[in-house]
């Protein structure tokens, strides 16, 4: 069984909706997040630590919101900024600039202790540590005044195609979101194993 390791119920709901209960089981574990300017090394280190904790195949999901006018802030610090400032304050910050374009990014990292059959498959990071595979999804949008009751985190202030992510069901969000795109490329690879 594949363990989806997260402390965030919103991420888990979307992963379950996409992959199905027969593919993943949740594992609530708060792995150490290393400090880095990009999500990939954070996810890779997290997957290795999660695998050592769980002892079975794991996937972790490191994601963030990147505002163009602020050179990608909060980016890898999105969870810290949500906890300390809050989503409303990020909307207030965005109102101080004209360019409110932004992107969500999701990096999923898979680790099964190295027993991956296909050494040349997608996203493989083999840098002398436990091999991991990375599956990435991005979506562009605009920061807007909060709307909608669904989703989680920054969803109410992220608009794409006329609606915020908080105005979509998990299924409708997965059809075009950063996480949905990362899940699609992960599932495409995983189904071939
Ligand atoms: P885990 O590390 O335990 O998985 P986390 O919530 O701490 O959970 P991250 O470190 O990846 O996750 O931080 C991501 C931040 O971005 C966090 O504040 C989330 O609420 C937010 N976020 C991630 N994906 C999102 C999405 O699809 N919609 C809205 N906000 C999102």
């Amino acid at each position: 069984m594949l363990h989806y390791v997260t402390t965030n119920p919103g991420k888990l709901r979307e992963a379950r909706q996409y992959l199905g209960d027969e593919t993943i089981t949740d594992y609530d574990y708060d792995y150490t997040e290393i400090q880095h300017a990009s999500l990939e090394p954070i996810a890779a280190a997290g997957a290795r630590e999660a695998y050592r904790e769980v002892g079975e195949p794991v996937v972790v999901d490191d994601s963030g919101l990147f505002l163009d006018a602020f050179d990608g802030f909060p980016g890898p610090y999105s969870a810290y900024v949500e906890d300390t400032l809050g989503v409303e304050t990020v909307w207030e910050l965005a109102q101080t600039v004209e360019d409110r374009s932004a992107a969500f990014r999701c990096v999923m990292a898979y680790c099964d202790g190295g027993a991956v059959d296909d050494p040349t498959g997608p996203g493989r990071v083999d840098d002398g540590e436990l091999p991991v595979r990375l599956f990435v999804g991005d979506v562009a949008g605009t920061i807007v005044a909060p709307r909608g009751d669904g989703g989680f985190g920054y969803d109410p202030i992220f608009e794409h195609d006329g609606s915020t992510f908080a105005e979509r069901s998990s299924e409708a969000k997965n059809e075009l979101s950063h996480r949905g795109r990362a899940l699609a490329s992960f599932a495409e690879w995983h189904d071939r194993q």
Side-chain angles (χ1 to χ4, degrees), residues 129-189:
E129 298 188 62
L130 277 178
V132 296
R133 282 183 196 277
L134 302 181
F135 304 89
V136 181
D138 295 280
V139 62
T142 308
I143 302 302
V144 296
R147 290 194 329 256
D149 303 322
F152 67 97
Y154 296 97
D155 281 343
I157 62 165
F158 187 85
E159 187 184 70
H160 176 94
D161 249 359
S163 54
T164 69
F165 275 2
E167 293 175 314
R168 293 172 182 267
S169 64
S170 296
E171 193 175 358
K173 183 181 163 188
N174 271 340
E175 277 166 19
L176 42 76
S177 75
H178 51 312
R179 181 159 301 97
R181 288 170 180 168
L183 283 164
S185 64
F186 171 73
E188 203 259 324
W189 171 76

Side-chain angles (χ1 to χ4, degrees), residues 3 7 14 36-37 48 50 54 59 74 81 98 116 136 160 162 168 186:
H3 299 267
T7 61
E14 290 170 15
H36 206 283
R48 288 174 174 133
V54 179
V59 80
V81 168
E98 264 180 39
V116 178
V136 181
H160 176 94
R168 293 172 182 267
F186 171 73

Side-chain angles (χ1 to χ4, degrees), residues 101-122:
S101 58
F104 264 130
R105 183 172 178 80
C106 172
V107 177
M108 274 181 193
Y110 170 88
C111 181
D112 63 6
V116 178
D117 288 338
D118 165 15
T120 57

